[in-house]
Every structure is written in C-alpha cells, then in structure tokens.
Amino acid sequence: MAATAKTIEQVKSVGDKYKYGFVTDIDLDYAPKGLNEDIIRFISAKKEEPEWLLEWRLKAYAHWLEMPEPEWAKVDFPPIDYQDAYYYAAPKSDEDKPKSLDEVDPKLLETYEKLGIPLHEQEVLAGVAVDAVFDSVSVATTYKGKLEEQGIIFCSISEAVQDHPELVKKYLGSVVPYGDNKHACLNSAAFTDGSFVYIPKGVRCPMELSTYFRINAENTGQFERTLIIADEGSYVSYLEGCTAPMRDENQLHAAVVELITLDDAEIKYSTVQNWYPGDEDGKGGIYNFVTKRGACRGRNSKISWTQVETGSAITWKYPSCILEGDNSVGEFYSVAITNNLQQADTGTKMIHLGKNTSSTIIAKGIAAGRSDSTYRGQVKIMPNAEGARNFTQCDSLLIGDQCGAHTVPYIESRNPSARVEHEATTSKISDDQMFYCQQRGLSDEEAVALIVNGFCREVLQQLPMEFAVEAQKLVGISLEGSVG
Amino acid sequence: MLEIRNLHATVDGKEIIKGLDLTIGAGEVHAIMGPNGTGKSTLSYVLAGRDGYEVTEGEILFQGENLLDLETDERACRGIFLAFQYPVEIPGVAGTTFLKTALNAVRKSRGEDDLDAMQFLKHVREKAKTLGVSDEMLRRPLNVGFSGGEKKRNEALQMAVLEPSFAILDETDSGLDIDALKVVADGVNAMRDPARSMLIITHYQRLLNYIEPDHVHVLVNGRIAKSGGKELAERLEEHGYAEFLDAEAA
C-alpha cells in the first residue's frame, strides 16, 4: 500500500487545504481492470439485473466504442486510458448487504463521520435523509421507513431495479439517451450505483434528500446514475455532495443524472462538488465529466439546478432543462471556482419547446491561479414555444493575472414572440476593496473569501440552509493561496 | 500613543511626505489641515499600511511598537482605524456581514471569542441607532448605491462598532450636508475617550466647529509647517494657506 501511505503523507503535509483527502483502508471487492463486455456482464450479474438492463448496457457499450470524445470544450488533458481503471469496486461487506445501519462496516460509518455526513439516523440533522455511495455502491440510505409512509421511494438505483423495475424501465435513459455523448454512454454501459427517487402524486417531500458520493479506491472510476421522478403536483429538494482522497493519478467520474417532472411538479437539485482538484502543479485530481439533464414533461412544472463547483481537475458539466410542458420553468444557478491549474467548462442548456416556458440562468465564474474557467450555455427557443422567455446573467471574477475567464453563449430563437436576454460582466477584485477589508482587520484570505462570497450571493442563497453555510466556507478554502 | 519621526514616504517613486514629525498623546484629538496635494491622504494611507505607499526613511511608533513592521490587517487589529474619504463598495456583502467579519477578526487577534449572532446584533443596533443607520441600510450590500451621507455615517458606525484606540478621519466632512455632518460629528464626539486618540484630516475648518481638536497642524509640501491650538484653524479659515505656501516657496 505504498501509494496509500504516500497519499496520507501528502494529506498531512497540506494540512487543511483539502480536508477530505484521507483514504479509508477497507476490504474491497474489485472487478478486473479495464472495460469489455465481460466486465459489463460481471457488473450486471453482481447486481442481479434483469435481462433488459444488461442488453441496454451492452448496446451502450457497443455504441461507446464507436463514439468520438467530445472536443468542443475549452479543456486540455491527455487522452484517457479507459483500460487502466477499475470499473467496479465495492466494500466487501456488501457481499451480505447490510439490512440496517447497525450492520454497515463501522469503518465506513467513520468515513462519513469524518466527512461530516452523519449516517446514524438519530444523529441526522433534522430533515435530511442521506444515501451514501462509496466507490461503486450505495452503502446506506437513511430515513427510508419514514419516507415510505408517504409513498416516497428513496433508495439506491440497484435496489430500484429490483423493487420498482417498471419505473426504472420507463424512465431510465428517457432524458439522457445512452448515445447522448461519450461520457454518458460510458456511464450507461458501466454504471454501478446511484440514487433513485420517486415522489408520488401530490406529495411534498417533508425533508431534504441527500446523496453523498465518495471515491475511495485507487484507479477507480465512479459512474453513478441518479434518477428522480416527481409525479404530478409533487415537490422534492435534493442535495448532492462529493469528495475524494488525494491521489497522484487522475480519476474519472462520469455520472448521469436524469430528472423528470410531471404536471405541476417541482424538483430542486443542489450540488456542492468538491472532488479533489489536484495539487498546485496540476498533478492528480478528478476528471468530472457529468451529464445532468431534467425534463419538465408536465404543464407548470419546474426544475431548478443549483451548483457550487469548487473541486475537480477538470469540470465538464452542463445541467440542462428541456421545457416540454406549457408554462414550465427551468433555472440554473451556478458558482464555479477554479484555482491553481484547474479547468472548468460548465454551463447549461435551456431548450424551450412548450408555450410560455421560461428560464433563468445566473452563472458566476471565479478564476484564480493559472486556472481557466469557461461558461458555455445554450438557449434554444423552438418554433412552438410561443411567448418563451429567457434571462441569462454571466459574471466572471478574476483573481491575479494568470487565469482566464471565458463566456460562450449560444442563443437560437425560432419563435418571433420569444424574449431572450443575455448580460455578461467580467471584473477583478480591486486593490481598493482589498485595502478596505484589510484596514478593517481581515487577512488577505478572509478578504478574498468575503468579496467572492458577496459576488456569488445570488447563487448561494438558492441553496438550502445547511448547504449554504458549508458552501460559503468552501468558497474561502478553495481560494486559499490565490492572493499575496 | 503615536509617534512619527522624520517620516519620508514615496508613491510611485515620487516623494510625497518629506520629513514629517508628529506626536499624538493618548486621548488627544489632532487635526491636520492643508491645501490639496500636500500629502494629507498619503499620510493616512502610510499609517494604515496601504500597498504602494513606501516609507523610505524615519519611523512610526504606535503604543511603543514599530508600526512599519506590521501588515495592514495587523495594524487594524492593534486598533488603527481609517474612516475612508471614499468608502469602497463591496457588492453582495451585507453591511452586517462585513461588520461581523471585521469585528470577529479584531476580537480573534485579541484572543477573544467570536460574538454570537444575537450579541453581535445587539451591539450593532445600539450604535446604529445613534448614527441614524437603519436596519434596512445594514442589510444592503456594503456602500453599494449609498448616498455620500449614508457612506460617511456607515464609516462612523464601523468605527463605533470596532472601538479602535486610534482613529484617522480622512476628509470625513466631504460630501456631507450640514445635518449629516452633525450626526457624524456627534458620533465621533461620543467616542472621545482618555484612551482613544484621533487624527482628523480636513481641508476646511467647518468640521472642526463640530469636532473640536486639541491641536491643529498645517501640512504643506509633505511637512508640518505650523502647529498650534484650534485658533490656528480659525486663522486659516480667514487667511487661507497662502502665507505657508509663500514661506515654503521662499
């Protein structure tokens, strides 16, 4: 375990900088390295999946082999050796899947405690139910019983395949088809776990649902798949957090998230992404290549994405909304912070199909060090989208003179009654602002954290309370060392 | 409290302060007056430790400590406060958030615990009331869209909340109408204390009618040209700075 020892040493040497960088020493069950049909059959067999799902995976795999890598993003990295990774790593205790939290490996529980994610139900913050995904599998879901009383299904997607196959079959891949893009295609072929949520008609989910993703094993990719369905007139707020240990090599994270809202339903999806970003010289870190998309299928339905992206060596992510139902609403609130050699190409797509659909995009990009941050957003108004409206605001903040911020909007309107607005600004933290804060007793880093938090306020205030406080701290931590 | 000896300071390589001596005792209020461009604001920035204001000669002792060894924030935490001539806008940061961050930074440096939200609000509201700063104003992003008067009242509020031992008021009267001037002056006067000194930098004598100084100095061409009591300020009001400028030229 030389590599692990080295990692631990690094964690110690950088102290607080990336406090999630520890490794949990736990017995893991791996599939052999690399990806081929046998591995996919292995994953599917491990999960005792029905035939249709295996076939779907194999179709995706065949398609993936032919598919080119997306190359339009403003990110730069050497070609990925897909055969040099493990596609399945699960804690061994999963062999006899724990039936309650008491049976979960105490080491795993300890890990989540270190992360600040209490899994013991009695300790759970009032109103948050958690599904924890460790490497490839979901290890625990809390508050299940209480949610079931209202007919809410919140479980791992593997369980959903067994227990609610009709829902999974109906909606899986219906928003992000397997052939959508190379990364989503890989996920469709090789996904190992993720969360599943179904909110029945007319139910307002009484607590925040939360998933915590953690990559722990070396050389492992994480390909989780999340599927959330809000039936007519229902509401759910869902939180997603992610961390990983510090490792020298790059690890691939290619997730897919699909959201579906039917008539009058609403999903609020919040992410605080803090995957390991690599060190100051750009060594290591997660490649976060994620496809997130929601379909507002019903009338008056709403999907709102809020993301705070501070981690990952490379972020490639465009949470989008397809506004099919008349009067449906899509929102995207984003903060993307890059420091050192991080690269982020992130934004959204708002596709207006229904009448009087409206969308709002507020994107804040902060670049420091030698990093590069790009906002890429598409607003598309289709011919039937009578009276559609969009408002987009992209603000970039630069810290130092070696970073880059770019805004790339694609606006396409095919309906003359549509109204589309785009505003963009680029600014720097001024010497006056720094001096003013310092004169009041704030250190360089406190001053930057305060100013940047102010810059991001419109987005941060969209987050649920528990998350907002954590996100504010994260903003400060991720910019440490960026001034002076 | 503060002792400045033979201070020389440059900005962009140009010497602005040229051998300034000034001693301010505990509890004293000093005023520095002078025509435009004689180094009044430079002096305030040098004392506060702004980047780009380089001391080339001389020394500044603050409560026995060499001030020039300290960073800007360390000086602030030791009790040096500068009320800005042009307070800076910080979008998205509510006035209360800014004050709380600043107060806790200062408290931390003194080894004191952070104030909790309730204690803090009580502390701020008391001070805000006397300065006519409303809750609504405290919630707004700091200085963004504030009128001149609001900005200056807000500076006075920060000073009242942070309770510095040495306050520099840089052209605090500029941009204030007479009513606002009174409110701010009352706030400053309420802070006069045997343990607190102040340095008032002003162009006009007007402010000194409301905040009465113990000593008045005339700053011309980077040096103190004349020192006296408050009657000196009155003389300047009548005769202007001409006599000192002529003396300098001669």
Side-chain angles (χ1 to χ4, degrees), chain A residues 160-309:
Chain A
V161 169
Q162 303 300 329
D163 302 341
H164 310 281
E166 70 298 337
L167 283 171
V168 177
K169 199 171 176 182
K170 183 169 177 190
Y171 290 108
L172 187 77
S174 75
V175 187
V176 180
Y178 65 76
D180 190 79
N181 65 72
K182 181 116 184 164
H183 307 309
C185 198
L186 177 62
N187 175 287
S188 303
F191 76 89
T192 39
D193 219 329
S195 294
F196 176 85
V197 176
Y198 172 78
I199 314 289
K201 275 183 196 171
V203 172
R204 192 177 167 89
C205 186
M207 58 181 77
E208 308 277 351
L209 301 185
S210 167
T211 299
Y212 217 88
F213 295 108
R214 171 108 182 136
I215 298 180
N216 189 63
E218 283 174 71
N219 301 315
T220 321
Q222 180 151 327
F223 308 98
E224 82 271 0
R225 184 119 198 158
T226 300
L227 179 58
I228 301 177
I229 303 140
D231 212 328
E232 290 170 22
S234 69
Y235 169 84
V236 64
S237 168
Y238 186 91
L239 318 174
E240 175 198 81
C242 2
T243 59
M246 301 167 70
R247 299 200 185 277
D248 282 351
E249 81 272 18
N250 297 106
Q251 287 174 290
L252 180 60
H253 174 247
V256 172
V257 175
E258 295 177 281
L259 311 182
I260 295 119
T261 50
L262 303 181
D263 285 357
D264 304 303
E266 178 177 349
I267 298 176
K268 183 175 168 64
Y269 193 106
S270 312
T271 304
V272 173
Q273 185 263 111
N274 186 25
W275 295 117
Y276 177 52
D279 69 9
E280 274 115 66
D281 302 314
K283 191 159 196 208
I286 303 288
Y287 289 168
N288 192 35
F289 299 158
V290 172
T291 306
K292 292 184 169 180
R293 196 175 300 153
C296 286
R297 298 247 161 97
R299 294 170 60 88
N300 309 316
S301 65
K302 178 174 172 183
I303 288 177
S304 180
W305 298 99
T306 304
Q307 60 171 21
V308 176
E309 304 279 314

Side-chain angles (χ1 to χ4, degrees), chain A residues 381-415:
Chain A
I381 315 280
M382 301 306 274
N384 290 332
E386 201 70 31
R389 275 180 301 152
N390 163 267
F391 173 75
T392 300
Q393 186 186 327
C394 300
D395 298 319
S396 306
L397 187 68
L398 299 168
I399 300 173
D401 53 11
Q402 292 179 66
C403 52
H406 318 272
T407 301
V408 190
Y410 305 81
I411 299 168
E412 190 184 330
S413 178
R414 298 202 211 154
N415 186 307

Side-chain angles (χ1 to χ4, degrees), chain A residues 139-178:
Chain A
V139 291
T141 307
T142 61
Y143 274 125
K144 253 170 115 166
K146 195 169 174 215
L147 293 166
E148 268 166 18
E149 284 168 22
Q150 297 196 50
I152 295 168
I153 304 167
F154 178 38
C155 62
S156 73
I157 198 141
S158 309
E159 285 172 81
V161 169
Q162 303 300 329
D163 302 341
H164 310 281
E166 70 298 337
L167 283 171
V168 177
K169 199 171 176 182
K170 183 169 177 190
Y171 290 108
L172 187 77
S174 75
V175 187
V176 180
Y178 65 76

Side-chain angles (χ1 to χ4, degrees), chain A residues 455-476:
Chain A
F455 175 77
C456 304
R457 196 171 77 126
E458 288 160 279
V459 174
L460 295 179
Q461 69 191 7
Q462 295 294 329
L463 289 171
M465 199 56 162
E466 309 82 351
F467 245 33
V469 176
E470 164 138 17
Q472 277 173 21
K473 282 192 201 140
L474 201 54
V475 165

Side-chain angles (χ1 to χ4, degrees), chain A residues 302-376:
Chain A
K302 178 174 172 183
I303 288 177
S304 180
W305 298 99
T306 304
Q307 60 171 21
V308 176
E309 304 279 314
T310 64
S312 298
I314 301 176
T315 300
W316 181 98
K317 183 181 167 188
Y318 315 90
S320 305
C321 298
I322 301 169
L323 304 168
E324 295 169 37
D326 290 350
N327 310 317
S328 60
V329 176
E331 291 175 343
F332 175 73
Y333 298 96
S334 168
V335 168
I337 300 180
T338 52
N339 196 358
N340 298 318
L341 282 166
Q342 281 177 272
Q343 306 172 59
D345 193 300
T346 184
T348 184
K349 285 189 250 180
M350 293 289 175
I351 314 294
H352 293 251
L353 296 165
K355 290 185 179 57
N356 300 314
T357 46
S358 74
S359 60
T360 304
I361 300 170
I362 309 282
K364 307 273 181 179
I366 298 105
R370 285 175 285 161
S371 68
D372 234 323
S373 174
T374 303
Y375 166 81
R376 188 181 303 278

Side-chain angles (χ1 to χ4, degrees), chain B residues 32-37 40-41 44 82-86 152 168-176 199-204 207:
Chain B
I32 286 200
M33 301 182 69
N36 288 329
K40 297 195 299 294
S41 285
S44 67
L82 171 62
F84 282 60
Q85 183 178 3
Y86 304 108
K152 294 298 168 77
I168 307 159
L169 282 70
D170 189 2
E171 304 276 2
T172 291
D173 51 334
S174 70
L176 285 189
L199 180 63
I200 298 166
I201 291 172
T202 182
H203 192 71
Y204 300 106
L207 178 66

Side-chain angles (χ1 to χ4, degrees), chain A residues 430-433 435-444 446 450-451 453-455 457, chain B residues 45 50 73 76 80-82 84 88-93 98 102 105 142-143 155 158:
Chain A
S430 72
D431 292 346
D432 282 348
Q433 286 175 326
F435 176 58
Y436 192 61
C437 292
Q438 289 164 340
Q439 210 301 306
R440 297 299 184 251
L442 277 61
S443 66
D444 286 359
E446 286 167 331
L450 185 79
I451 295 166
N453 266 303
F455 175 77
R457 196 171 77 126
Chain B
Y45 287 151
R50 181 163 196 170
D73 55 321
I80 290 189
F81 180 92
L82 171 62
F84 282 60
V88 180
E89 296 186 358
I90 307 191
V93 177
F98 182 76
L142 190 67
N143 291 323
E155 291 293 290
Q158 291 181 20

